[in-house]
C-alpha cells in the first residue's frame, strides 16, 4: 500500500491511529513507527519507551512520539508487557527505508486473544484517510523544511532557495511545493547554479513537488 509516497506494507498490522506497525513473532510483537508517524513528526523526532518489564494496560501510553510537527502517544487496545527496547540513534528515520527496518519495542500481549490491529483493506482505508487529512507527502529522504510557494513567481522562489540553501549545511533538504508551470525548468536551472541534487520530483494535478538536497 502506498499513498502520496507513504508506504504501509501489506504484511504488517497497524494500530488504529496508524502510528505504529506490528510484526508478530510467536507470542511476541515487534513494534516500529509507520511512515505516517515519521513524516508527521519530522526530522527531529524522538521516541520515549517504557522500561523493560513494564506492564501497560489497555489504552495506556506505550510510546511517546515527539517531533517538530507532531506530539502524541501510542496506545494499544490490549495490555502488553515490555520485553525489550531498541536504541534509536538521532536521525534514524531520515531515510524512508529505515522506517520499516527499525523496530522500537518488543512486547508480549497479556491476553493473546485480546490482540486487535488493522490490516488489509481496513488498514489501507484508514491510512489513505490520514494521509489526506494531514496532507502528507513521504519521500525517500525526510526534508529538513518545507517551502509552499503557491501563486508565487519563480523568481521569488529561486531567491528564497538561494537564501535558505546559502546558510544551510551540506545535506540540507527542502521539500518545495509550487504551482508555477515553469517550475521544472527553473528548478533544474537553480539546482545547477546552487549545486543541488533533485532527489525526487512529482506532479499532482497542477502542483509540483520537488525534494532538493544541498551537495
Amino acid at each position: 500500500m502506498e499513498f502520496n509516497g507513504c508506504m504501509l506494507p501489506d504484511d504488517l498490522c497497524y494500530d488504529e491511529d496508524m502510528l505504529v506497525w506490528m510484526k508478530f513473532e510467536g507470542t511476541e510483537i515487534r513494534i516500529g513507527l509507520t511512515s505516517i508517524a515519521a513524516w508527521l513528526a519530522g526530522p527531529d523526532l524522538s521516541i520515549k519507551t517504557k522500561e523493560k518489564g513494564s506492564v501497560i494496560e489497555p489504552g495506556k501510553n506505550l510510546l511517546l512520539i515527539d517531533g517538530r510537527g507532531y506530539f502524541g502517544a501510542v496506545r494499544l487496545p490490549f495490555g502488553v508487557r515490555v520485553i525489550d527496547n531498541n536504541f534509536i540513534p538521532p536521525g534514524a528515520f531520515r531515510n524512508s527505508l529505515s522506517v520499516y527496518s527499525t523496530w522500537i519495542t518488543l512486547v508480549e500481549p497479556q491476553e493473546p486473544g485480546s490482540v486487535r490491529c488493522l490490516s488489509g483493506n481496513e488498514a489501507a482505508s484508514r491510512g489513505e484517510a490520514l494521509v489526506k487529512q494531514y496532507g502528507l507527502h513521504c519521500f525517500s529522504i525526510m526534508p529538513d523544511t518545507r517551502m509552499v510557494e503557491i501563486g508565487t513567481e519563480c523568481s521569488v522562489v529561486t531567491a528564497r532557495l538561494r537564501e535558505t540553501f546559502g546558510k544551510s549545511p551540506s545535506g540540507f533538504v527542502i521539500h518545495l511545493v509550487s504551482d508555477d508551470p515553469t517550475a521544472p525548468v527553473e528548478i533544474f536551472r537553480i539546482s545547477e547554479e546552487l549545486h543541488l541534487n533533485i532527489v525526487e520530483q512529482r506532479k499532482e494535478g497542477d502542483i509540483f513537488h520537488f525534494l532538493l538536497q544541498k551537495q
Side-chain angles (χ1 to χ4, degrees), residues 65-103:
I65 302 171
D66 188 5
R68 190 186 307 171
Y70 179 82
F71 176 81
V74 173
R75 303 180 180 92
L76 301 180
F78 52 91
V80 298
R81 182 173 66 87
V82 177
I83 304 298
D84 198 7
N85 291 310
N86 190 21
F87 170 71
I88 308 297
F93 299 110
R94 289 299 302 272
N95 185 312
S96 63
L97 295 177
S98 67
V99 176
Y100 294 102
S101 62
T102 304
W103 63 277

Side-chain angles (χ1 to χ4, degrees), residues 41-56:
D44 301 324
L45 75 86
S46 63
I47 303 165
K48 184 176 182 180
T49 59
K50 296 292 185 178
E51 294 182 358
K52 295 180 185 180
S54 298
V55 174
I56 314 300

